[in-house]
Amino acid sequence: GGVDSKRIKFFTYNSLEKTTEKYIPEGDKLENTHYAFLHNSNDEDNDFKLEEILAYNINKYGFNTPNKCLKAQKDLNDIVASKSFGVNKVTFDVTIKK
């Protein structure tokens, strides 16, 4: 992903289905917010709902600044790390500035 002359955009790649998706946010409403999870979607041991947790965190912190989004993501990562052996709480901040 990256930033073109007008807005940020990102792409995802599904290694199982060999497909890509393109995401370009439009407007400043929550329903226009796009996200992707790096996880094994075939993992049946996943006993928590990533989208519900992220939506809760976004409503808790907001989403109109990079710092608010990072707080929501870090909280999600901490929850996943507490329940999944292969995930730790080490995170790095990368903010794309225009």
Side-chain angles (χ1 to χ4, degrees):
V3 178
D4 66 14
S5 61
K6 297 180 183 178
R7 60 187 167 236
I8 192 169
K9 56 180 137 182
F10 74 95
F11 301 83
T12 60
Y13 177 71
N14 182 326
S15 61
L16 298 174
E17 298 176 13
K18 308 287 190 244
T19 59
T20 59
E21 296 249 359
K22 177 179 175 180
Y23 299 92
I24 302 173
E26 298 290 340
D28 59 358
K29 297 186 180 187
L30 183 58
E31 60 267 12
N32 297 327
T33 304
H34 297 287
Y35 52 85
F37 298 110
L38 301 174
H39 72 99
N40 181 357
S41 60
N42 293 330
D43 185 2
E44 295 180 13
D45 294 333
N46 186 358
D47 61 346
F48 47 96
K49 308 287 185 225
L50 297 174
E51 290 185 53
E52 289 176 17
I53 296 168
L54 182 61
Y56 173 81
N57 290 342
I58 287 173
N59 285 321
K60 177 179 170 183
Y61 294 114
F63 64 95
N64 59 336
T65 69
N67 285 337
K68 291 177 181 179
C69 291
L70 286 170
K71 285 180 184 178
Q73 290 173 324
K74 284 185 179 202
D75 276 6
L76 173 64
N77 185 77
D78 288 348
I79 291 168
V80 173
S82 71
K83 296 183 178 189
S84 180
F85 175 74
V87 178
N88 63 44
K89 292 187 177 186
V90 177
T91 62
F92 300 93
D93 296 351
V94 176
T95 304
I96 300 172
K97 294 183 180 182
K98 190 172 178 184

XYZ file of all heavy atoms in Angstrom:
796
model
N 0.816 -1.185 0.000
C 0.000 0.000 0.000
C 0.855 1.241 0.000
O 2.067 1.192 -0.105
N 0.183 2.354 0.126
C 0.869 3.628 0.179
C -0.106 4.766 0.032
O -1.307 4.605 0.221
N 0.420 5.936 -0.312
C -0.390 7.132 -0.461
C -0.195 7.670 -1.869
O 0.927 7.856 -2.316
C 0.029 8.213 0.573
C -0.793 9.473 0.388
C -0.097 7.681 1.988
N -1.312 7.892 -2.584
C -1.195 8.562 -3.873
C -1.441 10.046 -3.640
O -1.386 10.523 -2.515
C -2.132 7.947 -4.922
C -3.613 8.138 -4.623
O -3.953 8.959 -3.749
O -4.430 7.473 -5.272
N -1.739 10.801 -4.653
C -1.876 12.249 -4.492
C -3.091 12.642 -3.657
O -3.162 13.742 -3.152
C -1.965 12.918 -5.862
O -3.113 12.437 -6.551
N -4.035 11.719 -3.472
C -5.273 12.069 -2.771
C -5.503 11.304 -1.471
O -6.035 11.834 -0.526
C -6.469 11.838 -3.684
C -6.478 12.706 -4.913
C -7.688 12.430 -5.754
C -7.621 13.272 -7.021
N -8.735 13.013 -7.898
N -5.133 10.028 -1.408
C -5.524 9.224 -0.236
C -4.636 7.994 -0.075
O -3.908 7.599 -0.979
C -6.971 8.807 -0.370
C -7.207 7.979 -1.601
C -8.669 7.715 -1.830
N -8.796 7.199 -3.172
C -9.542 7.706 -4.112
N -10.281 8.734 -3.860
N -9.578 7.180 -5.311
N -4.772 7.393 1.085
C -4.038 6.167 1.382
C -4.786 4.984 0.770
O -6.003 5.023 0.618
C -3.880 5.982 2.908
C -2.893 4.881 3.221
C -5.216 5.736 3.582
C -2.495 4.817 4.692
N -4.055 3.967 0.401
C -4.692 2.731 -0.079
C -3.797 1.558 0.295
O -2.597 1.721 0.492
C -4.958 2.767 -1.565
C -3.769 3.039 -2.436
C -4.200 3.037 -3.886
C -3.560 4.160 -4.633
N -3.967 4.230 -6.018
N -4.416 0.396 0.429
C -3.616 -0.790 0.699
C -4.218 -2.005 0.019
O -5.367 -1.991 -0.396
C -3.424 -1.014 2.206
C -4.625 -1.525 2.952
C -4.793 -2.877 3.179
C -5.557 -0.651 3.469
C -5.884 -3.351 3.892
C -6.634 -1.105 4.188
C -6.807 -2.463 4.396
N -3.391 -3.018 -0.115
C -3.781 -4.240 -0.793
C -3.537 -5.419 0.142
O -2.623 -5.385 0.963
C -2.938 -4.438 -2.063
C -3.059 -3.318 -3.041
C -2.294 -2.166 -2.909
C -3.948 -3.405 -4.097
C -2.406 -1.124 -3.809
C -4.063 -2.361 -5.006
C -3.296 -1.226 -4.860
N -4.344 -6.455 0.000
C -4.104 -7.693 0.747
C -3.881 -8.818 -0.251
O -4.345 -8.753 -1.397
C -5.291 -8.063 1.662
O -6.470 -8.257 0.871
C -5.535 -6.974 2.701
N -3.187 -9.847 0.195
C -2.928 -11.020 -0.629
C -3.311 -12.258 0.158
O -2.866 -12.441 1.284
C -1.455 -11.082 -1.027
C -1.103 -12.316 -1.819
C -1.549 -12.471 -3.124
C -0.353 -13.333 -1.254
C -1.243 -13.605 -3.855
C -0.037 -14.475 -1.981
C -0.494 -14.609 -3.277
O -0.194 -15.729 -3.992
N -4.158 -13.099 -0.414
C -4.560 -14.357 0.193
C -3.703 -15.454 -0.427
O -3.866 -15.795 -1.600
C -6.047 -14.617 -0.070
C -6.533 -15.885 0.582
O -5.820 -16.870 0.699
N -7.786 -15.860 1.013
N -2.765 -15.994 0.369
C -1.829 -16.983 -0.170
C -2.498 -18.322 -0.455
O -1.997 -19.094 -1.266
C -0.659 -17.176 0.790
O -1.120 -17.647 2.037
N -3.631 -18.618 0.192
C -4.323 -19.878 -0.073
C -5.071 -19.836 -1.399
O -5.048 -20.779 -2.170
C -5.296 -20.200 1.074
C -4.660 -20.401 2.442
C -5.740 -20.574 3.506
C -3.736 -21.606 2.429
N -5.740 -18.710 -1.658
C -6.540 -18.582 -2.876
C -5.815 -17.835 -3.993
O -6.333 -17.702 -5.090
C -7.853 -17.872 -2.549
C -8.701 -18.653 -1.558
C -9.959 -17.899 -1.152
O -10.294 -16.896 -1.804
O -10.598 -18.332 -0.189
N -4.602 -17.322 -3.693
C -3.802 -16.564 -4.665
C -4.589 -15.384 -5.245
O -4.628 -15.152 -6.441
C -3.325 -17.474 -5.809
C -2.629 -18.748 -5.354
C -1.262 -18.449 -4.814
C -0.489 -19.723 -4.582
N -0.143 -20.001 -3.235
N -5.244 -14.617 -4.354
C -6.028 -13.471 -4.771
C -5.555 -12.210 -4.049
O -4.986 -12.286 -2.969
C -7.525 -13.674 -4.467
O -7.694 -13.891 -3.056
C -8.086 -14.853 -5.231
N -5.809 -11.057 -4.662
C -5.509 -9.775 -4.027
C -6.789 -8.955 -3.939
O -7.715 -9.134 -4.738
C -4.458 -8.964 -4.814
O -4.959 -8.730 -6.122
C -3.146 -9.690 -4.895
N -6.832 -8.075 -2.954
C -7.943 -7.134 -2.788
C -7.351 -5.751 -2.610
O -6.307 -5.594 -1.993
C -8.780 -7.484 -1.563
C -9.478 -8.808 -1.656
C -10.981 -8.676 -1.771
O -11.491 -7.543 -1.757
O -11.625 -9.711 -1.868
N -8.035 -4.748 -3.132
C -7.590 -3.358 -3.030
C -8.574 -2.606 -2.134
O -9.789 -2.748 -2.284
C -7.570 -2.748 -4.426
C -7.205 -1.309 -4.491
C -7.224 -0.888 -5.960
C -6.996 0.579 -6.140
N -7.028 0.956 -7.555
N -8.042 -1.818 -1.186
C -8.875 -1.054 -0.269
C -8.507 0.415 -0.349
O -7.346 0.779 -0.190
C -8.687 -1.538 1.169
C -9.070 -2.980 1.362
C -8.124 -3.983 1.244
C -10.378 -3.334 1.650
C -8.468 -5.315 1.416
C -10.736 -4.655 1.823
C -9.773 -5.644 1.705
O -10.122 -6.955 1.876
N -9.506 1.256 -0.587
C -9.313 2.703 -0.617
C -10.421 3.321 0.239
O -11.592 3.251 -0.111
C -9.389 3.264 -2.049
C -8.334 2.604 -2.936
C -9.222 4.776 -2.040
C -8.439 2.978 -4.394
N -10.062 3.902 1.381
C -11.089 4.531 2.220
C -11.745 5.714 1.514
O -11.081 6.463 0.806
C -10.315 5.013 3.449
C -8.985 4.375 3.370
C -8.748 3.991 1.966
N -13.019 5.869 1.713
C -13.772 6.993 1.153
C -14.499 7.684 2.299
O -15.244 7.056 3.028
C -14.791 6.504 0.119
C -14.185 5.813 -1.086
C -13.438 6.764 -2.003
O -13.679 7.985 -1.946
O -12.596 6.280 -2.773
N -14.281 8.965 2.485
C -14.966 9.704 3.532
C -14.342 9.472 4.893
O -13.285 8.858 5.024
N -15.013 9.965 5.928
C -14.458 9.864 7.272
C -15.410 9.174 8.247
O -15.390 9.429 9.432
C -14.070 11.251 7.796
C -15.256 12.205 7.845
O -16.365 11.801 7.438
O -15.064 13.341 8.296
N -16.261 8.289 7.741
C -17.190 7.567 8.599
C -16.648 6.186 8.911
O -15.895 5.607 8.130
C -18.556 7.456 7.927
C -19.192 8.818 7.713
C -20.582 8.693 7.187
C -21.116 10.103 7.026
N -22.467 10.161 6.679
N -17.042 5.646 10.058
C -16.545 4.347 10.503
C -16.823 3.247 9.487
O -15.978 2.395 9.238
C -17.163 3.979 11.857
C -16.691 2.679 12.486
C -15.181 2.685 12.683
C -17.390 2.441 13.800
N -17.971 3.275 8.837
C -18.290 2.217 7.867
C -17.393 2.265 6.631
O -17.344 1.321 5.861
C -19.770 2.242 7.462
C -20.219 3.528 6.824
C -20.806 4.535 7.816
O -20.680 4.350 9.033
O -21.388 5.516 7.352
N -16.658 3.354 6.448
C -15.710 3.467 5.334
C -14.298 3.065 5.728
O -13.384 3.150 4.921
C -15.693 4.895 4.796
C -17.032 5.299 4.223
O -17.751 4.488 3.669
N -17.382 6.554 4.385
N -14.111 2.640 6.969
C -12.799 2.243 7.448
C -12.511 0.813 6.994
O -13.358 -0.055 7.117
C -12.750 2.306 8.996
O -13.100 3.621 9.399
C -11.378 1.950 9.517
N -11.305 0.591 6.459
C -10.926 -0.741 5.998
C -9.803 -1.285 6.860
O -8.967 -0.529 7.359
C -10.460 -0.700 4.538
C -11.530 -0.274 3.590
N -12.587 -1.073 3.253
C -11.709 0.877 2.904
C -13.367 -0.442 2.405
N -12.850 0.759 2.180
N -9.769 -2.590 7.027
C -8.736 -3.246 7.811
C -8.542 -4.656 7.285
O -9.393 -5.187 6.565
C -9.109 -3.277 9.298
C -10.490 -3.848 9.544
C -10.691 -5.221 9.657
C -11.594 -3.020 9.631
C -11.943 -5.748 9.844
C -12.856 -3.532 9.825
C -13.030 -4.896 9.944
O -14.281 -5.419 10.123
N -7.418 -5.235 7.624
C -7.123 -6.616 7.242
C -6.407 -7.274 8.404
O -5.682 -6.622 9.149
C -6.242 -6.650 5.999
N -6.641 -8.572 8.595
C -5.992 -9.327 9.657
C -4.982 -10.291 9.055
O -5.260 -10.933 8.044
C -7.021 -10.140 10.455
C -8.048 -9.288 11.145
C -9.353 -9.267 10.721
C -7.691 -8.509 12.233
C -10.301 -8.487 11.359
C -8.631 -7.727 12.882
C -9.938 -7.714 12.440
N -3.823 -10.388 9.659
C -2.820 -11.352 9.244
C -3.003 -12.582 10.125
O -2.531 -12.616 11.261
C -1.415 -10.778 9.412
C -1.134 -9.500 8.646
C 0.242 -8.962 9.010
C -1.233 -9.752 7.160
N -3.747 -13.545 9.631
C -4.005 -14.755 10.407
C -4.430 -15.885 9.479
O -4.745 -15.677 8.309
C -5.091 -14.512 11.469
C -6.479 -14.376 10.894
N -7.360 -15.406 10.895
C -7.108 -13.342 10.300
C -8.497 -15.009 10.338
N -8.354 -13.762 9.966
N -4.443 -17.075 10.038
C -4.879 -18.251 9.311
C -6.388 -18.346 9.435
O -6.909 -18.715 10.481
C -4.202 -19.509 9.877
C -4.595 -20.759 9.131
O -5.423 -20.721 8.223
N -3.998 -21.864 9.509
N -7.102 -18.003 8.385
C -8.561 -18.007 8.439
C -9.137 -19.414 8.547
O -10.308 -19.582 8.832
C -9.140 -17.304 7.206
O -8.728 -17.966 6.039
N -8.318 -20.436 8.356
C -8.778 -21.816 8.497
C -8.583 -22.359 9.904
O -8.890 -23.502 10.180
C -8.048 -22.727 7.511
C -8.412 -22.404 6.076
O -9.517 -21.954 5.799
N -7.489 -22.617 5.174
N -8.058 -21.538 10.815
C -7.784 -21.964 12.182
C -9.096 -22.102 12.949
O -9.715 -21.116 13.333
C -6.867 -20.955 12.872
C -6.453 -21.396 14.260
O -6.840 -22.497 14.686
O -5.729 -20.620 14.908
N -9.536 -23.328 13.179
C -10.797 -23.563 13.864
C -10.686 -23.398 15.375
O -11.684 -23.377 16.074
C -11.329 -24.951 13.511
C -11.685 -25.055 12.039
C -12.210 -26.416 11.655
O -12.538 -27.211 12.558
O -12.296 -26.684 10.455
N -9.473 -23.265 15.907
C -9.296 -23.055 17.337
C -9.471 -21.593 17.728
O -9.366 -21.239 18.888
C -7.896 -23.522 17.777
C -7.739 -25.021 17.639
O -8.765 -25.721 17.718
O -6.607 -25.478 17.455
N -9.746 -20.742 16.772
C -9.911 -19.313 17.028
C -11.232 -19.103 17.767
O -12.288 -19.135 17.179
C -9.904 -18.559 15.695
C -9.923 -17.075 15.874
O -9.972 -16.567 16.982
N -9.895 -16.374 14.766
N -11.152 -18.874 19.090
C -12.369 -18.769 19.902
C -12.746 -17.326 20.217
O -13.528 -17.069 21.108
C -12.219 -19.564 21.197
C -11.079 -19.048 22.067
O -10.266 -18.273 21.560
O -11.036 -19.435 23.245
N -12.211 -16.361 19.482
C -12.591 -14.976 19.684
C -12.831 -14.317 18.339
O -12.323 -14.741 17.321
C -11.566 -14.200 20.518
C -10.143 -14.398 20.086
C -9.529 -13.500 19.241
C -9.410 -15.478 20.550
C -8.222 -13.676 18.846
C -8.098 -15.665 20.161
C -7.504 -14.765 19.301
N -13.634 -13.282 18.346
C -14.063 -12.612 17.113
C -13.224 -11.362 16.881
O -13.426 -10.333 17.514
C -15.534 -12.228 17.217
C -16.442 -13.378 17.605
C -16.601 -14.329 16.463
C -17.612 -15.404 16.821
N -17.207 -16.707 16.482
N -12.273 -11.438 15.957
C -11.360 -10.332 15.699
C -12.099 -9.061 15.297
O -11.792 -7.974 15.787
C -10.354 -10.720 14.619
C -9.410 -11.872 14.937
C -8.575 -12.219 13.723
C -8.535 -11.537 16.123
N -13.064 -9.182 14.394
C -13.773 -7.995 13.918
C -14.565 -7.321 15.028
O -14.595 -6.094 15.119
C -14.691 -8.361 12.753
C -13.913 -8.720 11.503
C -14.806 -8.966 10.307
O -15.635 -8.080 10.010
O -14.676 -10.018 9.684
N -15.206 -8.122 15.887
C -15.979 -7.544 16.983
C -15.073 -6.824 17.982
O -15.413 -5.734 18.458
C -16.772 -8.633 17.711
C -17.913 -9.181 16.907
C -18.630 -10.332 17.602
O -18.454 -10.500 18.829
O -19.361 -11.054 16.915
N -13.927 -7.410 18.276
C -12.988 -6.790 19.211
C -12.444 -5.492 18.629
O -12.386 -4.460 19.310
C -11.836 -7.752 19.564
C -12.378 -8.975 20.293
C -10.777 -7.049 20.409
C -11.376 -10.112 20.428
N -12.058 -5.503 17.351
C -11.543 -4.295 16.721
C -12.618 -3.211 16.669
O -12.345 -2.050 16.968
C -11.009 -4.583 15.315
C -10.401 -3.388 14.590
C -9.205 -2.820 15.360
C -9.993 -3.767 13.183
N -13.847 -3.569 16.313
C -14.936 -2.588 16.264
C -15.168 -1.979 17.643
O -15.361 -0.754 17.764
C -16.212 -3.239 15.742
N -15.126 -2.792 18.688
C -15.280 -2.282 20.050
C -14.171 -1.289 20.377
O -14.420 -0.206 20.909
C -15.284 -3.437 21.053
C -15.265 -2.960 22.486
C -16.433 -2.548 23.110
C -14.074 -2.900 23.202
C -16.422 -2.087 24.417
C -14.049 -2.437 24.505
C -15.222 -2.039 25.112
O -15.198 -1.571 26.404
N -12.933 -1.661 20.053
C -11.788 -0.787 20.338
C -11.847 0.516 19.547
O -11.497 1.579 20.057
C -10.471 -1.510 20.063
C -10.184 -2.601 21.067
O -10.769 -2.638 22.149
N -9.293 -3.506 20.715
N -12.281 0.441 18.299
C -12.397 1.651 17.484
C -13.466 2.574 18.068
O -13.283 3.793 18.142
C -12.696 1.304 16.014
C -11.426 0.734 15.355
C -13.192 2.518 15.247
C -11.628 0.206 13.962
N -14.580 1.998 18.512
C -15.607 2.824 19.148
C -15.114 3.397 20.478
O -15.483 4.495 20.864
C -16.890 2.020 19.361
C -17.645 1.823 18.077
O -17.717 2.720 17.245
N -18.209 0.651 17.894
N -14.269 2.652 21.174
C -13.723 3.086 22.457
C -12.759 4.262 22.281
O -12.837 5.253 23.015
C -12.998 1.909 23.114
C -12.314 2.202 24.424
C -11.677 0.905 24.947
C -10.770 1.118 26.112
N -10.127 -0.144 26.541
N -11.847 4.177 21.325
C -10.803 5.185 21.145
C -11.103 6.205 20.050
O -10.558 7.296 20.056
C -9.461 4.519 20.809
C -8.901 3.698 21.927
C -8.780 2.322 21.817
C -8.475 4.293 23.110
C -8.255 1.562 22.849
C -7.952 3.541 24.150
C -7.847 2.178 24.010
O -7.338 1.430 25.039
N -11.887 5.828 19.054
C -12.074 6.660 17.874
C -11.153 6.178 16.770
O -10.372 5.244 16.952
N -11.245 6.824 15.614
C -10.458 6.367 14.466
C -9.991 7.505 13.579
O -9.406 7.279 12.529
C -11.269 5.374 13.625
C -12.495 5.979 13.001
C -12.466 6.468 11.713
C -13.666 6.091 13.730
C -13.582 7.054 11.152
C -14.790 6.670 13.175
C -14.751 7.151 11.885
N -10.210 8.737 14.014
C -9.909 9.861 13.136
C -8.477 10.376 13.235
O -8.135 11.358 12.594
C -10.894 11.004 13.374
C -10.880 11.495 14.811
O -10.494 10.763 15.712
N -11.312 12.710 15.022
N -7.634 9.712 14.021
C -6.206 10.040 14.041
C -5.410 8.738 14.036
O -5.910 7.707 14.479
C -5.801 10.854 15.293
O -5.903 10.024 16.448
C -6.648 12.102 15.454
N -4.177 8.771 13.570
C -3.357 7.561 13.596
C -3.166 7.004 15.016
O -3.206 5.801 15.217
C -2.020 8.012 12.998
C -2.373 9.171 12.130
C -3.499 9.860 12.834
N -2.987 7.879 16.010
C -2.776 7.409 17.378
C -3.981 6.660 17.927
O -3.833 5.658 18.641
C -2.421 8.573 18.304
C -1.004 9.052 18.106
O -0.155 8.310 17.617
N -0.747 10.288 18.459
N -5.182 7.122 17.605
C -6.388 6.429 18.061
C -6.483 5.037 17.422
O -6.818 4.061 18.091
C -7.626 7.260 17.747
C -7.727 8.521 18.586
C -8.930 9.339 18.188
C -9.014 10.616 19.004
N -10.174 11.431 18.612
N -6.183 4.957 16.148
C -6.213 3.653 15.468
C -5.157 2.718 16.038
O -5.410 1.524 16.216
C -6.004 3.834 13.965
S -7.380 4.647 13.142
N -3.974 3.243 16.326
C -2.911 2.416 16.904
C -3.301 1.870 18.274
O -3.012 0.715 18.596
C -1.606 3.200 17.006
C -0.884 3.440 15.685
C 0.269 4.429 15.883
C -0.371 2.137 15.105
N -3.977 2.668 19.091
C -4.442 2.193 20.399
C -5.416 1.026 20.228
O -5.332 0.025 20.931
C -5.112 3.318 21.183
C -4.159 4.326 21.754
C -4.922 5.400 22.521
C -3.981 6.477 23.013
N -4.709 7.552 23.713
N -6.338 1.159 19.282
C -7.308 0.087 19.026
C -6.603 -1.178 18.554
O -6.924 -2.285 18.993
C -8.334 0.555 17.983
N -5.592 -1.026 17.687
C -4.854 -2.189 17.183
C -4.026 -2.845 18.288
O -3.959 -4.071 18.374
C -3.940 -1.762 16.036
C -4.689 -1.380 14.790
C -3.767 -0.809 13.728
O -2.801 -0.103 14.029
N -4.073 -1.100 12.476
N -3.391 -2.039 19.130
C -2.567 -2.603 20.200
C -3.415 -3.365 21.208
O -3.011 -4.427 21.690
C -1.760 -1.511 20.894
C -0.586 -1.063 20.068
C 0.274 -0.072 20.813
C 1.451 0.310 19.929
N 2.569 0.826 20.653
N -4.587 -2.832 21.531
C -5.484 -3.555 22.432
C -5.897 -4.895 21.826
O -5.943 -5.914 22.510
C -6.730 -2.741 22.748
C -6.522 -1.750 23.873
O -5.371 -1.605 24.347
O -7.512 -1.117 24.291
N -6.206 -4.895 20.530
C -6.562 -6.140 19.846
C -5.393 -7.116 19.897
O -5.575 -8.294 20.219
C -6.959 -5.868 18.392
C -7.203 -7.103 17.525
C -8.393 -7.900 18.033
C -7.406 -6.702 16.081
N -4.186 -6.640 19.615
C -3.012 -7.507 19.646
C -2.799 -8.108 21.046
O -2.487 -9.288 21.182
C -1.765 -6.738 19.229
C -0.552 -7.630 19.144
O -0.386 -8.373 18.185
N 0.298 -7.584 20.159
N -2.991 -7.309 22.085
C -2.822 -7.803 23.448
C -3.826 -8.912 23.768
O -3.485 -9.902 24.414
C -2.966 -6.673 24.464
C -1.778 -5.720 24.452
O -0.738 -6.058 23.822
O -1.890 -4.637 25.058
N -5.051 -8.762 23.304
C -6.073 -9.790 23.539
C -5.706 -11.068 22.798
O -5.774 -12.170 23.350
C -7.465 -9.279 23.115
C -7.907 -8.169 24.074
C -8.478 -10.405 23.077
C -9.112 -7.391 23.604
N -5.300 -10.938 21.544
C -4.912 -12.119 20.756
C -3.696 -12.791 21.392
O -3.645 -14.011 21.516
C -4.642 -11.742 19.282
C -4.072 -12.918 18.509
C -5.920 -11.246 18.622
N -2.717 -11.989 21.813
C -1.496 -12.544 22.424
C -1.810 -13.297 23.713
O -1.153 -14.288 24.022
C -0.495 -11.426 22.706
N -2.815 -12.855 24.447
C -3.157 -13.535 25.698
C -3.837 -14.877 25.460
O -3.868 -15.725 26.355
C -4.054 -12.638 26.555
O -5.349 -12.532 25.995
N -4.357 -15.088 24.249
C -5.093 -16.323 23.963
C -4.414 -17.238 22.947
O -4.795 -18.384 22.801
C -6.490 -15.994 23.453
C -7.343 -15.295 24.478
C -8.726 -15.052 23.938
C -9.598 -14.396 24.989
N -10.989 -14.338 24.581
N -3.436 -16.710 22.219
C -2.811 -17.480 21.151
C -1.310 -17.606 21.405
O -0.601 -16.605 21.499
C -3.057 -16.795 19.800
O -2.462 -17.537 18.764
N -0.830 -18.839 21.487
C 0.572 -19.105 21.808
C 1.535 -18.479 20.813
O 2.606 -18.024 21.181
C 0.801 -20.620 21.876
C 2.231 -20.992 22.090
C 2.833 -20.827 23.333
C 3.000 -21.498 21.054
C 4.161 -21.162 23.537
C 4.328 -21.833 21.237
C 4.908 -21.666 22.488
N 1.189 -18.423 19.545
C 2.100 -17.945 18.507
C 2.162 -16.435 18.351
O 2.835 -15.931 17.478
N 1.463 -15.685 19.206
C 1.439 -14.229 19.098
C 2.022 -13.636 20.376
O 1.709 -14.081 21.471
C -0.006 -13.713 18.901
C -0.049 -12.195 18.834
C -0.621 -14.321 17.656
N 2.884 -12.624 20.227
C 3.416 -11.956 21.416
C 2.953 -10.510 21.445
O 2.260 -10.046 20.555
C 4.953 -12.051 21.463
C 5.608 -11.352 20.303
O 5.235 -10.239 19.938
N 6.599 -11.998 19.709
N 3.331 -9.790 22.492
C 2.877 -8.408 22.657
C 3.872 -7.373 22.131
O 3.711 -6.185 22.371
C 2.572 -8.135 24.135
C 1.370 -8.909 24.629
C 0.997 -8.503 26.032
C -0.250 -9.250 26.460
N -0.740 -8.792 27.757
N 4.861 -7.820 21.383
C 5.837 -6.902 20.807
C 5.223 -6.294 19.546
O 4.843 -6.994 18.621
C 7.161 -7.625 20.457
C 8.133 -6.668 19.793
C 7.755 -8.258 21.696
N 5.110 -4.971 19.520
C 4.551 -4.278 18.355
C 5.464 -3.120 17.967
O 6.267 -2.651 18.765
C 3.142 -3.723 18.647
O 3.219 -2.770 19.709
C 2.166 -4.842 19.011
N 5.318 -2.680 16.750
C 6.075 -1.544 16.229
C 5.095 -0.587 15.562
O 4.190 -1.021 14.856
C 7.118 -2.002 15.204
C 8.111 -2.969 15.768
C 7.906 -4.329 15.674
C 9.245 -2.507 16.416
C 8.810 -5.233 16.202
C 10.158 -3.397 16.943
C 9.947 -4.765 16.840
N 5.276 0.701 15.778
C 4.408 1.704 15.161
C 4.993 2.156 13.841
O 6.174 2.513 13.764
C 4.286 2.933 16.060
C 3.610 2.631 17.386
O 3.082 1.522 17.547
O 3.597 3.518 18.249
N 4.158 2.146 12.810
C 4.524 2.706 11.526
C 3.344 3.531 11.071
O 2.248 3.006 10.891
C 4.833 1.613 10.473
C 5.119 2.251 9.127
C 5.991 0.746 10.901
N 3.530 4.806 10.935
C 2.470 5.698 10.496
C 2.869 6.314 9.170
O 3.952 6.861 9.027
C 2.241 6.824 11.532
O 1.959 6.229 12.803
C 1.073 7.702 11.123
N 1.980 6.212 8.193
C 2.211 6.810 6.889
C 1.711 8.239 6.948
O 0.532 8.483 7.203
C 1.484 6.032 5.768
C 1.976 4.595 5.731
C 1.682 6.730 4.428
C 1.184 3.708 4.807
N 2.611 9.195 6.741
C 2.226 10.612 6.776
C 2.286 11.178 5.372
O 3.177 10.861 4.601
C 3.174 11.384 7.696
C 3.051 10.971 9.135
C 3.936 11.805 10.016
C 3.769 11.353 11.462
N 4.558 12.154 12.369
N 1.330 11.992 5.065
C 1.263 12.612 3.749
C 1.978 13.934 3.761
O 1.957 14.668 4.687
C -0.180 12.798 3.346
C -0.345 13.219 1.914
C -1.791 13.176 1.552
C -1.943 13.642 0.128
N -3.304 13.714 -0.276
